[in-house]
Coordinates of all heavy atoms in Angstrom, one line a residue:
E18 N 38.4 124.8 141.8 CA 38.2 126.1 142.4 C 38.2 127.3 141.4 O 37.5 128.2 141.5 CB 39.4 126.3 143.5 CG 39.3 127.6 144.2 CD 40.4 127.8 145.2 OE1 41.1 126.8 145.5 OE2 40.5 129.0 145.7
F19 N 39.2 127.1 140.4 CA 39.2 128.1 139.3 C 37.9 128.2 138.6 O 37.4 129.2 138.3 CB 40.3 127.8 138.4 CG 40.5 128.7 137.2 CD1 41.3 129.8 137.4 CD2 39.9 128.4 136.0 CE1 41.3 130.7 136.3 CE2 40.0 129.3 134.9 CZ 40.8 130.5 135.1
R20 N 37.3 127.0 138.3 CA 36.1 126.8 137.6 C 34.9 127.5 138.4 O 34.1 128.3 137.8 CB 35.7 125.4 137.2 CG 36.6 124.8 136.2 CD 36.1 123.4 136.0 NE 37.2 122.6 135.5 CZ 37.6 121.5 135.9 NH1 36.9 120.9 136.9 NH2 38.6 120.8 135.4
K21 N 34.9 127.3 139.7 CA 33.9 127.9 140.5 C 33.9 129.4 140.5 O 33.0 130.1 140.5 CB 33.9 127.3 141.9 CG 33.4 125.9 142.0 CD 33.5 125.3 143.4 CE 33.0 123.9 143.5 NZ 33.1 123.3 144.9
D22 N 35.2 129.9 140.7 CA 35.4 131.3 140.6 C 35.0 131.9 139.3 O 34.4 133.0 139.3 CB 36.9 131.7 140.9 CG 37.3 131.4 142.5 OD1 36.4 131.3 143.3 OD2 38.5 131.3 142.7
A23 N 35.3 131.3 138.2 CA 35.0 131.7 136.9 C 33.5 131.8 136.7 O 32.9 132.8 136.2 CB 35.5 130.8 135.8
V24 N 32.7 130.8 137.3 CA 31.3 130.8 137.2 C 30.7 132.0 138.1 O 29.8 132.8 137.7 CB 30.7 129.4 137.7 CG1 29.2 129.6 137.9 CG2 31.0 128.4 136.7
R25 N 31.3 132.2 139.3 CA 30.7 133.2 140.1 C 31.0 134.6 139.5 O 30.1 135.5 139.5 CB 31.5 133.2 141.5 CG 31.2 134.2 142.5 CD 31.9 134.1 143.8 NE 33.3 134.1 143.6 CZ 34.1 135.1 143.2 NH1 33.5 136.3 143.0 NH2 35.4 135.0 143.1
I26 N 32.2 134.8 138.9 CA 32.5 136.0 138.2 C 31.5 136.2 137.0 O 31.0 137.4 136.8 CB 33.9 136.1 137.8 CG1 34.9 136.1 139.0 CG2 34.2 137.3 136.8 CD1 36.3 135.8 138.6
A27 N 31.3 135.2 136.3 CA 30.4 135.3 135.1 C 29.0 135.7 135.4 O 28.4 136.4 134.7 CB 30.5 134.1 134.3
L28 N 28.6 135.2 136.6 CA 27.2 135.4 137.0 C 27.0 136.6 137.7 O 25.8 137.1 137.8 CB 26.6 134.1 137.7 CG 26.6 132.9 137.0 CD1 26.1 131.7 137.9 CD2 25.7 133.0 135.7
T29 N 27.9 137.2 138.4 CA 27.7 138.4 139.3 C 28.5 139.6 139.0 O 28.2 140.6 139.5 CB 28.1 137.9 140.8 OG1 29.5 137.6 140.8 CG2 27.2 136.8 141.2
S30 N 29.4 139.6 138.0 CA 30.2 140.7 137.8 C 29.7 141.8 137.0 O 30.0 142.9 137.0 CB 31.5 140.3 137.1 OG 31.3 139.9 135.8
G31 N 28.6 141.4 136.2 CA 28.0 142.4 135.3 C 28.8 142.4 133.9 O 28.3 143.2 133.0
L32 N 29.9 141.8 133.8 CA 30.5 141.6 132.5 C 29.8 140.6 131.7 O 29.1 139.7 132.2 CB 32.0 141.2 132.7 CG 32.8 142.1 133.6 CD1 34.2 141.5 133.9 CD2 33.1 143.4 133.0
T33 N 30.0 140.7 130.4 CA 29.5 139.7 129.5 C 30.3 138.4 129.7 O 31.5 138.5 130.1 CB 29.6 140.2 128.0 OG1 31.0 140.3 127.6 CG2 28.9 141.5 127.8
R34 N 29.8 137.3 129.3 CA 30.5 136.1 129.3 C 31.7 136.1 128.5 O 32.7 135.6 128.8 CB 29.6 134.9 129.0 CG 28.5 134.6 130.0 CD 27.7 133.4 129.7 NE 26.7 133.2 130.7 CZ 25.9 132.2 130.7 NH1 25.9 131.2 129.8 NH2 25.0 132.1 131.7
K35 N 31.6 136.8 127.3 CA 32.7 136.9 126.4 C 33.9 137.6 127.1 O 35.1 137.2 127.0 CB 32.3 137.6 125.2 CG 33.5 138.0 124.2 CD 33.8 136.8 123.3 CE 34.8 137.2 122.2 NZ 36.0 136.4 122.3
Q36 N 33.6 138.7 127.8 CA 34.7 139.5 128.5 C 35.2 138.6 129.6 O 36.5 138.6 129.8 CB 34.0 140.7 129.2 CG 33.6 141.8 128.2 CD 32.9 143.0 128.9 OE1 31.9 142.7 129.6 NE2 33.2 144.2 128.5
V37 N 34.4 137.9 130.4 CA 34.9 137.1 131.4 C 35.9 136.0 130.8 O 36.9 135.7 131.4 CB 33.8 136.4 132.3 CG1 34.4 135.4 133.3 CG2 33.0 137.5 133.0
A38 N 35.4 135.3 129.8 CA 36.2 134.2 129.1 C 37.5 134.8 128.7 O 38.6 134.1 128.9 CB 35.4 133.6 128.0
D39 N 37.5 135.9 128.0 CA 38.8 136.6 127.6 C 39.7 136.9 128.7 O 40.9 136.6 128.7 CB 38.5 137.8 126.7 CG 37.8 137.5 125.4 OD1 37.9 136.3 124.9 OD2 37.3 138.4 124.7
D40 N 39.1 137.5 129.8 CA 39.9 137.9 130.9 C 40.6 136.7 131.6 O 41.7 136.8 132.1 CB 39.1 138.7 132.0 CG 38.7 140.1 131.5 OD1 39.2 140.5 130.4 OD2 37.8 140.6 132.1
L41 N 39.9 135.6 131.6 CA 40.4 134.4 132.3 C 41.2 133.5 131.4 O 41.8 132.5 131.8 CB 39.2 133.6 132.9 CG 38.4 134.3 134.0 CD1 37.3 133.5 134.5 CD2 39.4 134.7 135.2
G42 N 41.1 133.8 130.1 CA 41.9 133.0 129.1 C 41.3 131.7 128.8 O 42.0 130.7 128.7
V43 N 40.0 131.6 128.9 CA 39.3 130.3 128.5 C 38.3 130.6 127.4 O 38.0 131.8 127.1 CB 38.5 129.8 129.8 CG1 39.5 129.4 130.9 CG2 37.4 130.7 130.2
G44 N 37.9 129.6 126.7 CA 37.0 129.8 125.6 C 35.6 130.0 126.1 O 35.2 129.6 127.2
M45 N 34.8 130.6 125.2 CA 33.4 130.9 125.6 C 32.6 129.5 125.8 O 31.9 129.4 126.8 CB 32.7 131.6 124.4 CG 32.8 133.0 124.4 SD 31.9 133.8 125.8 CE 30.2 133.4 125.2
S46 N 32.9 128.5 125.0 CA 32.1 127.2 125.2 C 32.5 126.6 126.5 O 31.7 126.0 127.2 CB 32.4 126.3 124.0 OG 33.7 126.0 123.9
T47 N 33.8 126.7 126.8 CA 34.3 126.2 128.1 C 33.6 126.8 129.3 O 33.1 126.2 130.2 CB 35.8 126.3 128.2 OG1 36.4 125.6 127.1 CG2 36.3 125.7 129.5
L48 N 33.6 128.2 129.3 CA 32.9 128.9 130.3 C 31.4 128.5 130.4 O 30.9 128.3 131.5 CB 33.1 130.4 130.1 CG 32.5 131.3 131.2 CD1 33.1 131.1 132.6 CD2 32.7 132.8 130.9
N49 N 30.8 128.5 129.3 CA 29.4 128.1 129.3 C 29.1 126.7 129.9 O 28.1 126.5 130.6 CB 28.7 128.2 127.9 CG 28.6 129.6 127.5 OD1 28.3 130.5 128.3 ND2 28.7 129.9 126.2
K50 N 30.0 125.8 129.5 CA 29.9 124.4 130.1 C 30.1 124.5 131.7 O 29.3 123.7 132.4 CB 31.0 123.5 129.5 CG 30.7 123.1 128.1 CD 31.8 122.2 127.5 CE 31.7 122.0 126.1 NZ 32.8 121.2 125.5
W51 N 31.0 125.3 132.1 CA 31.2 125.3 133.6 C 30.0 126.0 134.2 O 29.6 125.5 135.3 CB 32.4 126.2 133.9 CG 33.7 125.6 133.5 CD1 34.0 124.3 133.1 CD2 35.0 126.3 133.4 NE1 35.3 124.2 132.7 CE2 35.9 125.4 132.9 CE3 35.4 127.6 133.7 CZ2 37.3 125.7 132.8 CZ3 36.6 127.9 133.5 CH2 37.7 127.0 133.1
I52 N 29.4 127.0 133.6 CA 28.2 127.6 134.2 C 27.0 126.6 134.2 O 26.3 126.5 135.2 CB 27.8 128.9 133.4 CG1 28.9 129.9 133.6 CG2 26.4 129.3 133.7 CD1 28.7 131.1 132.7
T53 N 26.9 125.8 133.2 CA 25.8 124.8 133.1 C 26.0 123.8 134.2 O 25.1 123.5 134.9 CB 25.7 124.2 131.7 OG1 25.4 125.3 130.8 CG2 24.6 123.2 131.7
A54 N 27.3 123.3 134.4 CA 27.6 122.3 135.4 C 27.4 122.9 136.8 O 27.0 122.0 137.7 CB 29.0 121.8 135.1

Side-chain angles (χ1 to χ4, degrees):
E18 183 178 351
F19 179 86
R20 290 183 202 128
K21 287 179 181 179
D22 286 342
V24 170
R25 184 182 48 74
I26 291 167
L28 295 177
T29 61
S30 68
L32 299 172
T33 65
R34 288 186 184 183
K35 174 82 171 121
Q36 290 171 317
V37 173
D39 289 345
D40 289 348
L41 296 175
V43 298
M45 274 287 295
S46 61
T47 302
L48 181 61
N49 286 329
K50 286 178 189 175
W51 294 347
I52 291 170
T53 301

